[in-house]
């Protein structure tokens, strides 16, 4: 069950879910190829700067994804609550 996995700390969607869009793999490979090209052209501290930039960018993107997830999840809960209230009001009008 999902709740049990969450409680036990076994639920990591950001680490286990991979996009199914076929373009994802193509873009990922292109990014890796560009990184390898930069690695070959840049030496020492210059490439370390690129790696630092990528790490910081990843952190920023993860923060954005978490924020979007929270917002979407909250919106979904509010939508369910609204639907339940609508059904309850319709049910009370029948009586």
């Amino acid at each position: 069950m999902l709740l049990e996995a969450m409680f036990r700390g076994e639920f990591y969607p950001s680490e286990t879910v991979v996009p199914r869009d076929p373009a994802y793999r193509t873009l990922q490979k292109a990014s890796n190829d560009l990184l390898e090209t930069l690695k070959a052209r840049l030496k020492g501290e210059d490439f370390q700067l690129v790696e630092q930039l990528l790490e910081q960018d990843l952190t920023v993107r993860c923060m954005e994804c978490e924020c979007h997830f929270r917002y979407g999840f909250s919106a979904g809960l509010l939508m369910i609550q609204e639907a339940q209230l609508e059904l309850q009001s319709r049910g009370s009008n029948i009586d």
Side-chain angles (χ1 to χ4, degrees):
M1 297 238 359
L2 180 59
L3 288 176
E4 292 170 354
M6 292 171 75
F7 178 78
R8 289 190 304 262
E10 300 169 352
F11 184 69
Y12 302 102
S14 64
E15 296 176 9
T16 56
V17 177
V18 177
R20 294 181 183 173
D21 188 329
Y24 172 78
R25 296 267 187 228
T26 303
L27 290 170
Q28 187 180 39
K29 183 180 180 335
S31 293
N32 288 337
D33 291 346
L34 285 171
L35 188 60
E36 288 300 316
T37 301
L38 280 172
K39 188 175 185 178
R41 291 183 184 182
L42 301 175
K43 300 296 177 200
E45 291 180 11
D46 290 336
F47 188 71
Q48 287 177 352
L49 286 173
V50 171
E51 288 180 320
Q52 288 174 4
L53 173 65
L54 291 173
E55 284 294 321
Q56 288 183 2
D57 186 61
L58 177 62
T59 301
V60 167
R61 302 286 172 236
C62 287
M63 292 172 78
E64 289 173 347
C65 286
E66 182 180 350
C67 183
H68 295 153
F69 173 80
R70 286 181 187 194
Y71 184 84
F73 191 85
S74 296
L77 291 176
L78 289 172
M79 188 172 53
I80 290 170
Q81 183 182 28
E82 187 177 311
Q84 287 177 330
L85 289 173
E86 179 66 25
L87 289 174
Q88 288 173 355
S89 70
R90 288 183 185 194
S92 65
N93 290 340
I94 294 174
D95 294 337

